[in-house]
Amino acid sequence: MDNIGEADMKYTNQRVEIIAFLREHKGHPTVDEVYDGVRKKLTRISKATVYKNLKFLSQKGLLEEVNVKGVTRFEANFVPHHHLICRKCGKMDDFQSEELFDYSMKIAEDIEGFSIDSMSTNFYGICKQCKEDTING
Amino acid sequence: MDNIGEADMKYTNQRVEIIAFLREHKGHPTVDEVYDGVRKKLTRISKATVYKNLKFLSQKGLLEEVNVKGVTRFEANFVPHHHLICRKCGKMDDFQSEELFDYSMKIAEDIEGFSIDSMSTNFYGICKQCKEDTING
DNA sequence: ATTCTAAATGATATTCATTATTATTTAAGA
DNA sequence: TCTTAAATAATAATGAATATCATTTAGAAT
Ligand SMILES: [Mn+2]
Ligand SMILES: [Mn+2]
Ligand SMILES: [Zn+2]
Ligand SMILES: [Zn+2]
């Protein structure tokens, strides 16, 4: 069994493949996208298992759940980063800026009565693809 | 009829009350909270109307939809601001920092192939109330 | 290696937030 | 006041997410 962490849980094939998929796939897949991806290796996996494990592994800290426009997505990128979100197509890209992260956390230190442990900035706008689609047809 | 905007739409009592509620209520109410609030004035309003109008008015730019932990919430605070989100109870407070907003937007200008028009930072941690609850019982 | 068992899975049913439908009502312009 | 497209209320339908439960399995004990 590959060692994928030290959490107190069974390392089932289903969990290993879900985590592997999210580590390889550098996007922010939905439940269905994870399900379709993992099914290529584990053809008999149940969607209920995918749901349960995505939630479970997020609680264990092995994945992160993100939510955009009412759509639940998952990722395994634990390098602090921000997001570029397209208002048109809903695409969500990572955007890394240690500079912004440090600045934000410094400001956060001054907030009273709220212990902050993490932060993330969402930038909203129109992606390159959608801009081109608007210009053309 | 109170003038609540110039958008191309009918200013029904239902819409007027929904917007009024969200402008008075300085939180981030859920659909049910808006429904309960508005029902005090319009006892016969349908929940489907609340759903439709919250979505409709957000698209018209008169409200904003925010999503935390899979829960959809609404607000009418158009002063650019950030959010403090409690990991424990899910509470979402506003946090205004023009300094952080300006800094973030300046960084955003350098991003290629993505036209950014707005941004918001989410700070995650534990709120005062939940901290006290942990210490006590 | 074999046995054991709590935990996990697969299949399916259930829940419930959200959307669709449609007959009736109404805002707003003529 | 009349007209009518748009909006509402009531309700049905949809579908993402969760619950249930019989069966399987990871991992520990023997
Ligand atoms: Mn990301
Ligand atoms: Mn807010
Ligand atoms: Zn786009
Ligand atoms: Zn809290």
Side-chain angles (χ1 to χ4, degrees):
Chain A
M1 175 59 57
D2 273 354
N3 181 25
I4 56 173
E6 296 301 323
D8 174 30
M9 63 179 200
K10 288 193 184 180
Y11 288 90
T12 61
N13 295 331
Q14 291 87 340
R15 286 175 181 169
V16 170
E17 290 301 332
I18 286 169
I19 292 168
F21 178 80
L22 278 154
R23 287 186 181 175
E24 288 160 22
H25 193 288
K26 294 296 181 197
H28 302 83
T30 61
V31 174
D32 280 0
E33 285 164 355
V34 174
Y35 177 56
D36 290 342
V38 170
R39 235 180 345 167
K40 285 168 187 162
K41 296 263 180 127
L42 300 173
T43 56
R44 296 189 54 71
I45 192 172
S46 165
K47 191 182 275 192
T49 299
V50 175
Y51 267 102
K52 272 181 285 194
N53 278 326
L54 286 172
K55 166 163 274 200
F56 176 85
L57 295 168
S58 297
Q59 283 165 350
K60 285 284 179 186
L62 292 166
L63 299 178
E64 281 203 48
E65 186 175 334
V66 290
N67 208 291
V68 189
K69 287 179 145 196
V71 179
T72 303
R73 298 172 178 279
F74 294 86
E75 68 175 330
N77 178 6
F78 282 92
V79 179
H81 64 280
H82 311 284
H83 289 124
L84 308 178
I85 298 162
C86 179
R87 287 191 190 288
K88 204 87 172 281
C89 68
K91 187 155 68 82
M92 182 182 206
D93 286 340
D94 284 346
F95 167 62
Q96 211 171 322
S97 169
E98 208 163 329
E99 194 186 359
L100 176 56
F101 181 79
D102 291 345
Y103 188 92
S104 303
M105 287 306 276
K106 201 157 70 185
I107 283 186
E109 282 167 19
D110 297 338
I111 301 171
E112 295 276 319
F114 203 100
S115 315
I116 287 155
D117 52 65
S118 71
M119 54 77 52
S120 178
T121 296
N122 289 337
F123 291 98
Y124 296 92
I126 306 294
C127 76
K128 199 171 187 174
Q129 187 60 57
C130 285
K131 222 179 301 172
E132 287 170 5
D133 291 354
T134 305
I135 294 165
N136 308 324
Chain B
M1 176 58 59
D2 273 353
N3 182 26
I4 56 173
E6 295 302 322
D8 174 30
M9 63 178 201
K10 285 193 184 179
Y11 287 91
T12 61
N13 294 331
Q14 290 86 340
R15 286 176 181 169
V16 169
E17 290 302 332
I18 287 169
I19 291 170
F21 178 80
L22 277 155
R23 287 186 181 173
E24 287 159 22
H25 193 288
K26 294 295 181 198
H28 301 84
T30 62
V31 174
D32 280 359
E33 285 163 355
V34 174
Y35 177 55
D36 290 341
V38 170
R39 231 175 353 161
K40 284 168 187 162
K41 295 265 180 125
L42 301 172
T43 56
R44 296 190 56 71
I45 193 171
S46 165
K47 192 183 274 191
T49 298
V50 175
Y51 268 101
K52 272 182 288 193
N53 278 327
L54 286 172
K55 166 164 275 199
F56 176 86
L57 295 168
S58 297
Q59 283 165 349
K60 285 285 180 186
L62 291 166
L63 299 177
E64 281 203 48
E65 185 175 334
V66 291
N67 208 292
V68 189
K69 287 179 145 196
V71 178
T72 303
R73 298 173 177 279
F74 294 87
E75 68 174 330
N77 178 6
F78 282 92
V79 178
H81 64 279
H82 311 284
H83 289 124
L84 308 178
I85 298 163
C86 179
R87 288 191 188 289
K88 204 87 172 282
C89 67
K91 188 156 67 83
M92 181 182 207
D93 285 341
D94 284 345
F95 168 61
Q96 210 170 323
S97 170
E98 208 163 330
E99 194 186 359
L100 176 56
F101 181 79
D102 292 344
Y103 188 91
S104 303
M105 287 306 276
K106 201 156 71 183
I107 283 185
E109 283 168 18
D110 299 337
I111 301 171
E112 295 274 321
F114 204 100
S115 315
I116 287 156
D117 52 64
S118 72
M119 55 77 53
S120 178
T121 296
N122 288 338
F123 290 98
Y124 297 93
I126 306 296
C127 77
K128 198 171 188 175
Q129 187 60 58
C130 285
K131 222 179 302 172
E132 287 171 5
D133 291 354
T134 305
I135 294 164
N136 308 324

